[in-house]
Amino acid sequence: MLAVRDIEAAGYRSLRSLRFAVGPLSVFVGGNGTGKTNLYRALALLQAASTGTLTRDLATEGGMESVLWAGPRRRTEPARVRLRAELADGETGLSYGYAVEVGLVPQVGDAIFGAAFRLEPQVKAERLTVQAGARPTVVLDRDGPSGFVRDEEGRKRPLGTDLLATETALAALQDGMHFPELQIVRQAMGAWRFYHDVRTDAGSPLRRPCLAVTAPTLASDGSDLAGVFATLAHIRGDTADLDAAVDEAFPGARLVVPEPGREARFGLVFPDYPKRVFEASELSDGTLRYLVLAGALLAYRLPPFVALNEPEASLHPDLMEPLAQMIARAARRTQVWLVTHSERLAAAVAQASGVRPRVVTKRDGATWIEGLRLGGDFSDEED
């Protein structure tokens, strides 16, 4: 499993230029408007590069005019969004560095250069390196329409003319046999999970039974939550952590997960009504949201990277400590990235995990992280 070791983002919204190391648990806390969500979105865009939706996702955000850094820029500096991640394999010792740059379609007068619409985001550059020793090997190098990729024998192959300006080579070159390094990175980044804006309204799929299909990992929209609980209860046969999380949040309450037939479902029994099972459709938004987070963090199999954006939304303040316990527990099984407004949650996570929260601020109009040094490490890491 590849772990994220380093993240770099520049030219994206309020992210003028940031690079920092990433550990098993990363906690970012700060007020409105500091750019915390932009840190989260930068990771999601890196994943989009691996799945082939990067330029579409940027267009959905409003296009390059909306996502580009709006602050001062050197005259010779191109208007681009630059994203990079370094992934490390703890078993082989190999590290993989993937970087991508996206910019505007070049235009001279009424002429448009490149296979893209006038305002469409365009991939300008990509680079993938693999490092086993002192020096990295460039596996993929793209500059505009030209470049090369190394095959399984290390030979350079031209990218070819079929690659569109709006496509990433990482996603487009699907031949895992001939391009194994691309396949490794693509699969690793594609397996990341981002949990945000999970619906809990009356029409939410969480409030309805789901198909009884084994669900070792919660879907990003939480729609298979009942399947995740059923997998723990009736396939793994172990709900100890899940039961503890429910009891910590709702003392005396009990999660009920019937053996599935065609559908999987769940409910809660509260101590005030010991003979009454409250189905998912009857639970409050906050209760259901907490259960979604339990499904994301305590599932049978966790993804290699879990990102949470303001999970405290609609939760009662007294649920911060139980949530922090779940986050700390999950960080022992996988990497967790947490962005939060709640200082109480950040403090509770620090107490449960020993990991210091990072305070996100603004510096000269740009998002910054307190204690971050230019080398990408933090000034308090030796403490």
PDB file of all heavy atoms in Angstrom, residues 8-26:
ATOM      1  N   GLU A   8       2.097  18.990  -2.420  1.00  0.00           N
ATOM      2  CA  GLU A   8       2.422  20.340  -2.871  1.00  0.00           C
ATOM      3  C   GLU A   8       1.269  20.863  -3.715  1.00  0.00           C
ATOM      4  O   GLU A   8       0.722  20.144  -4.558  1.00  0.00           O
ATOM      5  CB  GLU A   8       3.705  20.329  -3.692  1.00  0.00           C
ATOM      6  CG  GLU A   8       4.180  21.703  -4.100  1.00  0.00           C
ATOM      7  CD  GLU A   8       5.540  21.656  -4.775  1.00  0.00           C
ATOM      8  OE1 GLU A   8       6.135  20.558  -4.843  1.00  0.00           O
ATOM      9  OE2 GLU A   8       6.000  22.728  -5.235  1.00  0.00           O
ATOM     10  N   ALA A   9       0.859  22.099  -3.461  1.00  0.00           N
ATOM     11  CA  ALA A   9      -0.209  22.728  -4.235  1.00  0.00           C
ATOM     12  C   ALA A   9       0.144  24.196  -4.429  1.00  0.00           C
ATOM     13  O   ALA A   9       0.551  24.875  -3.489  1.00  0.00           O
ATOM     14  CB  ALA A   9      -1.551  22.599  -3.521  1.00  0.00           C
ATOM     15  N   ALA A  10      -0.029  24.685  -5.651  1.00  0.00           N
ATOM     16  CA  ALA A  10       0.296  26.075  -5.957  1.00  0.00           C
ATOM     17  C   ALA A  10      -0.635  26.590  -7.037  1.00  0.00           C
ATOM     18  O   ALA A  10      -1.060  25.855  -7.918  1.00  0.00           O
ATOM     19  CB  ALA A  10       1.751  26.199  -6.413  1.00  0.00           C
ATOM     20  N   GLY A  11      -0.947  27.866  -6.948  1.00  0.00           N
ATOM     21  CA  GLY A  11      -1.750  28.510  -7.975  1.00  0.00           C
ATOM     22  C   GLY A  11      -3.216  28.143  -7.948  1.00  0.00           C
ATOM     23  O   GLY A  11      -3.943  28.492  -8.882  1.00  0.00           O
ATOM     24  N   TYR A  12      -3.671  27.479  -6.871  1.00  0.00           N
ATOM     25  CA  TYR A  12      -5.063  27.034  -6.789  1.00  0.00           C
ATOM     26  C   TYR A  12      -5.808  27.843  -5.729  1.00  0.00           C
ATOM     27  O   TYR A  12      -5.492  27.763  -4.546  1.00  0.00           O
ATOM     28  CB  TYR A  12      -5.123  25.544  -6.462  1.00  0.00           C
ATOM     29  CG  TYR A  12      -6.528  25.018  -6.237  1.00  0.00           C
ATOM     30  CD1 TYR A  12      -7.458  25.008  -7.265  1.00  0.00           C
ATOM     31  CD2 TYR A  12      -6.910  24.547  -4.990  1.00  0.00           C
ATOM     32  CE1 TYR A  12      -8.742  24.534  -7.067  1.00  0.00           C
ATOM     33  CE2 TYR A  12      -8.194  24.063  -4.773  1.00  0.00           C
ATOM     34  CZ  TYR A  12      -9.107  24.077  -5.816  1.00  0.00           C
ATOM     35  OH  TYR A  12     -10.386  23.611  -5.603  1.00  0.00           O
ATOM     36  N   ARG A  13      -6.753  28.642  -6.163  1.00  0.00           N
ATOM     37  CA  ARG A  13      -7.573  29.474  -5.275  1.00  0.00           C
ATOM     38  C   ARG A  13      -6.685  30.240  -4.295  1.00  0.00           C
ATOM     39  O   ARG A  13      -5.851  31.037  -4.702  1.00  0.00           O
ATOM     40  CB  ARG A  13      -8.630  28.614  -4.594  1.00  0.00           C
ATOM     41  CG  ARG A  13      -9.648  28.033  -5.590  1.00  0.00           C
ATOM     42  CD  ARG A  13     -10.852  27.463  -4.902  1.00  0.00           C
ATOM     43  NE  ARG A  13     -11.826  26.934  -5.852  1.00  0.00           N
ATOM     44  CZ  ARG A  13     -12.763  27.659  -6.474  1.00  0.00           C
ATOM     45  NH1 ARG A  13     -12.857  28.942  -6.232  1.00  0.00           N
ATOM     46  NH2 ARG A  13     -13.600  27.097  -7.328  1.00  0.00           N
ATOM     47  N   SER A  14      -6.805  29.983  -2.991  1.00  0.00           N
ATOM     48  CA  SER A  14      -6.003  30.721  -2.009  1.00  0.00           C
ATOM     49  C   SER A  14      -4.651  30.075  -1.735  1.00  0.00           C
ATOM     50  O   SER A  14      -3.884  30.567  -0.911  1.00  0.00           O
ATOM     51  CB  SER A  14      -6.778  30.837  -0.687  1.00  0.00           C
ATOM     52  OG  SER A  14      -6.950  29.556  -0.105  1.00  0.00           O
ATOM     53  N   LEU A  15      -4.344  28.980  -2.436  1.00  0.00           N
ATOM     54  CA  LEU A  15      -3.078  28.280  -2.215  1.00  0.00           C
ATOM     55  C   LEU A  15      -2.020  28.863  -3.151  1.00  0.00           C
ATOM     56  O   LEU A  15      -1.864  28.414  -4.300  1.00  0.00           O
ATOM     57  CB  LEU A  15      -3.238  26.779  -2.449  1.00  0.00           C
ATOM     58  CG  LEU A  15      -4.345  26.081  -1.657  1.00  0.00           C
ATOM     59  CD1 LEU A  15      -4.344  24.591  -1.928  1.00  0.00           C
ATOM     60  CD2 LEU A  15      -4.197  26.345  -0.156  1.00  0.00           C
ATOM     61  N   ARG A  16      -1.334  29.865  -2.686  1.00  0.00           N
ATOM     62  CA  ARG A  16      -0.279  30.497  -3.497  1.00  0.00           C
ATOM     63  C   ARG A  16       0.833  29.508  -3.768  1.00  0.00           C
ATOM     64  O   ARG A  16       1.231  29.295  -4.905  1.00  0.00           O
ATOM     65  CB  ARG A  16       0.258  31.727  -2.751  1.00  0.00           C
ATOM     66  CG  ARG A  16       1.417  32.427  -3.451  1.00  0.00           C
ATOM     67  CD  ARG A  16       0.920  33.104  -4.716  1.00  0.00           C
ATOM     68  NE  ARG A  16       2.002  33.761  -5.437  1.00  0.00           N
ATOM     69  CZ  ARG A  16       2.757  33.174  -6.360  1.00  0.00           C
ATOM     70  NH1 ARG A  16       2.548  31.894  -6.668  1.00  0.00           N
ATOM     71  NH2 ARG A  16       3.706  33.825  -6.991  1.00  0.00           N
ATOM     72  N   SER A  17       1.362  28.902  -2.715  1.00  0.00           N
ATOM     73  CA  SER A  17       2.373  27.855  -2.857  1.00  0.00           C
ATOM     74  C   SER A  17       2.578  27.209  -1.491  1.00  0.00           C
ATOM     75  O   SER A  17       3.041  27.868  -0.562  1.00  0.00           O
ATOM     76  CB  SER A  17       3.695  28.437  -3.366  1.00  0.00           C
ATOM     77  OG  SER A  17       4.659  27.409  -3.526  1.00  0.00           O
ATOM     78  N   LEU A  18       2.220  25.951  -1.397  1.00  0.00           N
ATOM     79  CA  LEU A  18       2.355  25.195  -0.150  1.00  0.00           C
ATOM     80  C   LEU A  18       2.954  23.827  -0.439  1.00  0.00           C
ATOM     81  O   LEU A  18       2.569  23.168  -1.406  1.00  0.00           O
ATOM     82  CB  LEU A  18       1.003  24.998   0.531  1.00  0.00           C
ATOM     83  CG  LEU A  18       0.425  26.136   1.381  1.00  0.00           C
ATOM     84  CD1 LEU A  18      -0.961  25.747   1.879  1.00  0.00           C
ATOM     85  CD2 LEU A  18       1.331  26.452   2.554  1.00  0.00           C
ATOM     86  N   ARG A  19       3.874  23.416   0.411  1.00  0.00           N
ATOM     87  CA  ARG A  19       4.419  22.064   0.344  1.00  0.00           C
ATOM     88  C   ARG A  19       4.709  21.609   1.765  1.00  0.00           C
ATOM     89  O   ARG A  19       5.321  22.345   2.543  1.00  0.00           O
ATOM     90  CB  ARG A  19       5.702  22.026  -0.478  1.00  0.00           C
ATOM     91  CG  ARG A  19       6.397  20.669  -0.452  1.00  0.00           C
ATOM     92  CD  ARG A  19       7.639  20.641  -1.323  1.00  0.00           C
ATOM     93  NE  ARG A  19       8.378  19.414  -1.120  1.00  0.00           N
ATOM     94  CZ  ARG A  19       9.390  19.272  -0.274  1.00  0.00           C
ATOM     95  NH1 ARG A  19       9.796  20.323   0.436  1.00  0.00           N
ATOM     96  NH2 ARG A  19      10.015  18.121  -0.127  1.00  0.00           N
ATOM     97  N   PHE A  20       4.251  20.414   2.110  1.00  0.00           N
ATOM     98  CA  PHE A  20       4.477  19.937   3.468  1.00  0.00           C
ATOM     99  C   PHE A  20       4.393  18.419   3.528  1.00  0.00           C
ATOM    100  O   PHE A  20       3.768  17.767   2.680  1.00  0.00           O
ATOM    101  CB  PHE A  20       3.479  20.562   4.451  1.00  0.00           C
ATOM    102  CG  PHE A  20       2.042  20.412   4.040  1.00  0.00           C
ATOM    103  CD1 PHE A  20       1.276  19.328   4.442  1.00  0.00           C
ATOM    104  CD2 PHE A  20       1.446  21.370   3.240  1.00  0.00           C
ATOM    105  CE1 PHE A  20      -0.040  19.201   4.064  1.00  0.00           C
ATOM    106  CE2 PHE A  20       0.127  21.257   2.851  1.00  0.00           C
ATOM    107  CZ  PHE A  20      -0.622  20.163   3.262  1.00  0.00           C
ATOM    108  N   ALA A  21       5.047  17.869   4.536  1.00  0.00           N
ATOM    109  CA  ALA A  21       5.049  16.433   4.752  1.00  0.00           C
ATOM    110  C   ALA A  21       3.723  15.983   5.347  1.00  0.00           C
ATOM    111  O   ALA A  21       3.051  16.740   6.052  1.00  0.00           O
ATOM    112  CB  ALA A  21       6.208  16.047   5.675  1.00  0.00           C
ATOM    113  N   VAL A  22       3.350  14.741   5.077  1.00  0.00           N
ATOM    114  CA  VAL A  22       2.084  14.174   5.538  1.00  0.00           C
ATOM    115  C   VAL A  22       2.381  12.909   6.331  1.00  0.00           C
ATOM    116  O   VAL A  22       3.179  12.067   5.899  1.00  0.00           O
ATOM    117  CB  VAL A  22       1.158  13.848   4.347  1.00  0.00           C
ATOM    118  CG1 VAL A  22      -0.153  13.244   4.819  1.00  0.00           C
ATOM    119  CG2 VAL A  22       0.893  15.094   3.521  1.00  0.00           C
ATOM    120  N   GLY A  23       1.737  12.779   7.492  1.00  0.00           N
ATOM    121  CA  GLY A  23       1.925  11.604   8.326  1.00  0.00           C
ATOM    122  C   GLY A  23       0.691  10.723   8.343  1.00  0.00           C
ATOM    123  O   GLY A  23      -0.244  10.901   7.556  1.00  0.00           O
ATOM    124  N   PRO A  24       0.632   9.749   9.257  1.00  0.00           N
ATOM    125  CA  PRO A  24      -0.543   8.874   9.341  1.00  0.00           C
ATOM    126  C   PRO A  24      -1.833   9.630   9.652  1.00  0.00           C
ATOM    127  O   PRO A  24      -2.906   9.228   9.215  1.00  0.00           O
ATOM    128  CB  PRO A  24      -0.180   7.914  10.480  1.00  0.00           C
ATOM    129  CG  PRO A  24       1.310   7.936  10.539  1.00  0.00           C
ATOM    130  CD  PRO A  24       1.708   9.323  10.172  1.00  0.00           C
ATOM    131  N   LEU A  25      -1.726  10.733  10.417  1.00  0.00           N
ATOM    132  CA  LEU A  25      -2.894  11.548  10.740  1.00  0.00           C
ATOM    133  C   LEU A  25      -2.521  13.016  10.585  1.00  0.00           C
ATOM    134  O   LEU A  25      -1.545  13.482  11.182  1.00  0.00           O
ATOM    135  CB  LEU A  25      -3.360  11.271  12.172  1.00  0.00           C
ATOM    136  CG  LEU A  25      -4.503  12.137  12.705  1.00  0.00           C
ATOM    137  CD1 LEU A  25      -5.751  12.017  11.844  1.00  0.00           C
ATOM    138  CD2 LEU A  25      -4.823  11.758  14.158  1.00  0.00           C
ATOM    139  N   SER A  26      -3.291  13.727   9.775  1.00  0.00           N
ATOM    140  CA  SER A  26      -3.073  15.164   9.562  1.00  0.00           C
ATOM    141  C   SER A  26      -4.345  15.893   9.953  1.00  0.00           C
ATOM    142  O   SER A  26      -5.428  15.568   9.452  1.00  0.00           O
ATOM    143  CB  SER A  26      -2.735  15.456   8.099  1.00  0.00           C
ATOM    144  OG  SER A  26      -1.571  14.765   7.688  1.00  0.00           O
TER     145      SER A  26
END
